[in-house]
Amino acid sequence: MARILITSGPTRQYIDPVRYLTNASSGRMGAALANAAIGLGHDVVIISGPVQVEYPSAAQVIPVRTTDEMLDAAQSEFARCDGAIGAAAPCDYMPRVVSEQKLSKTGHPIQLELVETPDVVATLGQQKRDDQWVVGFALETEDHRFRATVKLQKKHCDLIVSNGPQAIDSQENEVELLDVHGDVIADIRGSKEVVADELLRHIDQRLVVARSGA
């Protein structure tokens, strides 16, 4: 049995006290992965941005809002986990300056200067111990496999799941699972529950059991 950290859902980066940047990630993939992991007998801790989806009651759920909050929680929990699955869609950019007051309309355009947020999966990949593993997700609109392979290496992942924008806020998903060399080891499509079950089967065999020496 392993203790698995799963990041899930979107994050928010605030422009002012009421407005924010985000995306349409629903958390369904994270919930499906958690259910699949629990079904295999693993302990699961979920770090989730704001979602409407219900996570399994057997999982520990840590709610966060911003990418920085997700990173802080992930780093804290990862130290006590065997592995992590980065299924969240953290907001990649945040305003350089956040207004303390609600911005009022002036009738004129406004400009936002955006800076990159920290990369949660890359940070965990860089900090993982020899006995830990990290599985990332790569959502791309073009050159899916190539870009996923680049992210696999850049983020120090042991496996990476490649999918497209059709996965966002959808009941279905179509993914490729790539190993540490960038080779496709599974092509999976169907409901997110079906995809999650198959992904966890590979993760369990290639990472959990292999690292346990069983």
Side-chain angles (χ1 to χ4, degrees), residues 13 21 67-68 71 90-96 113-120 122 154:
Q13 298 301 146
L21 305 174
T67 302
D68 278 327
L71 176 62
C91 196
D92 293 325
Y93 296 94
M94 62 182 179
R96 182 181 292 277
E113 184 178 5
L114 303 179
V115 296
E116 291 185 359
T117 56
D119 191 307
V120 177
K154 183 178 179 180

Side-chain angles (χ1 to χ4, degrees), residues 4 10 45 99 108-109 111 122 126 129 133 171 185-188:
I4 300 175
V45 54
S99 175
H108 301 288
Q111 288 186 331
Q126 291 167 355
R129 304 185 304 264
W133 48 265
Q171 302 284 350
I185 57 177
D187 186 347
I188 315 164

Side-chain angles (χ1 to χ4, degrees), residues 138 140-149 162-166:
E140 301 291 346
T141 58
E142 59 181 348
D143 298 329
H144 292 204
R145 193 175 299 170
F146 172 75
R147 291 176 182 268
T149 302
S162 172
N163 60 1
Q166 69 275 7

Side-chain angles (χ1 to χ4, degrees), residues 32-89:
L33 289 165
N35 275 308
I38 291 168
L40 290 174
H42 302 306
D43 288 334
V44 173
V45 54
I46 303 169
I47 299 174
S48 176
V51 296
Q52 298 299 316
V53 71
E54 289 189 12
Y55 291 116
S57 59
Q60 176 189 357
V61 180
I62 301 173
V64 297
R65 291 192 302 172
T66 69
T67 302
D68 278 327
E69 289 175 357
M70 181 171 282
L71 176 62
D72 288 344
Q75 286 182 291
S76 176
E77 290 297 322
F78 189 50
R80 297 185 290 274
C81 292
D82 298 286
I85 305 174

Side-chain angles (χ1 to χ4, degrees), residues 1 9 18 20 39 64 122 126 141 146 153 155 170 172 201 214:
M1 181 178 72
V18 298
Y20 51 82
V64 297
Q126 291 167 355
T141 58
F146 172 75
Q153 298 168 349
K155 299 187 181 191
S170 172
E172 307 285 319
R201 185 178 70 82

